[in-house]
Amino acid sequence: MEKTLVIIKPDAVKKNLIGEIISRFEKNGLRVAALKKLKMTKEQAMGFYVVHKDRPFYESLTDFMSEGPCVVMVLEGEDAIAKVRKIMGATNPAQAEEGTIRKDFAENIERNAVHGSDSPQSASYEIPYFFSALEIL
Ligand code: CMP
């Protein structure tokens, strides 16, 4: 079983989509192993997205991710990383397939409703960024 870190971003939380988004993952066989709602500071958002620190969108992305509460969770399942990415759809909602979360709910390439780890290496940085071992069940 594989674990991945998923964030329901501030745009989607603001629109009351927490339940809708979690249920799409659960209906596809993923299990919620850990979950909490929190509001990141700008510095915490910068630390989470440090791999993007040299990208032109880093400043704006970290402003967005710290503008309001998000829901962070660990999802577990077979091929959880790839499965979550398929359910989310492409980063840019204009390119996302029909029926994906981003096609249905993202506003644009930045305010794109959800985040999911893109590799086992990212997951091993992102999961402990928010959760201690005792909180993952
Ligand atoms: P996420 O999957 O959280 O990973 C990095 C985030 O940066 C991405 O979703 C978007 O929110 C944002 N992002 C990626 N590419 C761009 C871009 N070209 N312009 C603005 N934001 C972007």
Side-chain angles (χ1 to χ4, degrees), residues 4-9 13 22 32 34-40 48 65 69-75 115 126-127 129-131:
T4 186
L5 190 279
V6 170
I7 304 179
I8 303 176
K9 297 187 179 186
V13 169
I22 293 175
V32 178
L35 178 136
K36 60 182 135 186
K37 186 178 190 184
L38 53 83
K39 184 174 182 294
M40 279 189 267
F48 181 78
M65 290 301 289
C70 46
V71 169
V72 296
M73 60 191 140
V74 178
L75 297 184
H115 166 85
E126 294 177 358
I127 292 171
Y129 198 82
F130 293 112
F131 296 99

Side-chain angles (χ1 to χ4, degrees), residues 55-90:
R55 302 286 194 93
F57 56 80
Y58 183 60
E59 218 20 70
S60 162
L61 170 65
T62 52
D63 279 345
F64 160 51
M65 290 301 289
S66 55
E67 79 177 27
C70 46
V71 169
V72 296
M73 60 191 140
V74 178
L75 297 184
E76 185 181 57
E78 210 171 300
D79 292 325
I81 293 173
K83 200 179 261 187
V84 162
R85 292 177 67 77
K86 190 164 168 45
I87 298 164
M88 291 193 305

Side-chain angles (χ1 to χ4, degrees), residues 8 12 15-27 87 99-101 104-105:
I8 303 176
K15 292 179 198 152
N16 238 9
L17 291 169
I18 297 170
E20 168 70 30
I21 289 173
I22 293 175
S23 100
R24 290 191 182 203
F25 292 123
E26 287 188 329
K27 281 178 184 149
I87 298 164
T100 60
I101 293 171
D104 290 344
F105 303 125

Side-chain angles (χ1 to χ4, degrees), residues 9 49 52 57 61 91 102 109-112 114-116:
K9 297 187 179 186
Y49 279 117
H52 296 306
F57 56 80
L61 170 65
T91 305
R102 284 169 171 160
I109 194 169
E110 178 173 281
R111 303 178 71 87
N112 63 354
V114 278
H115 166 85

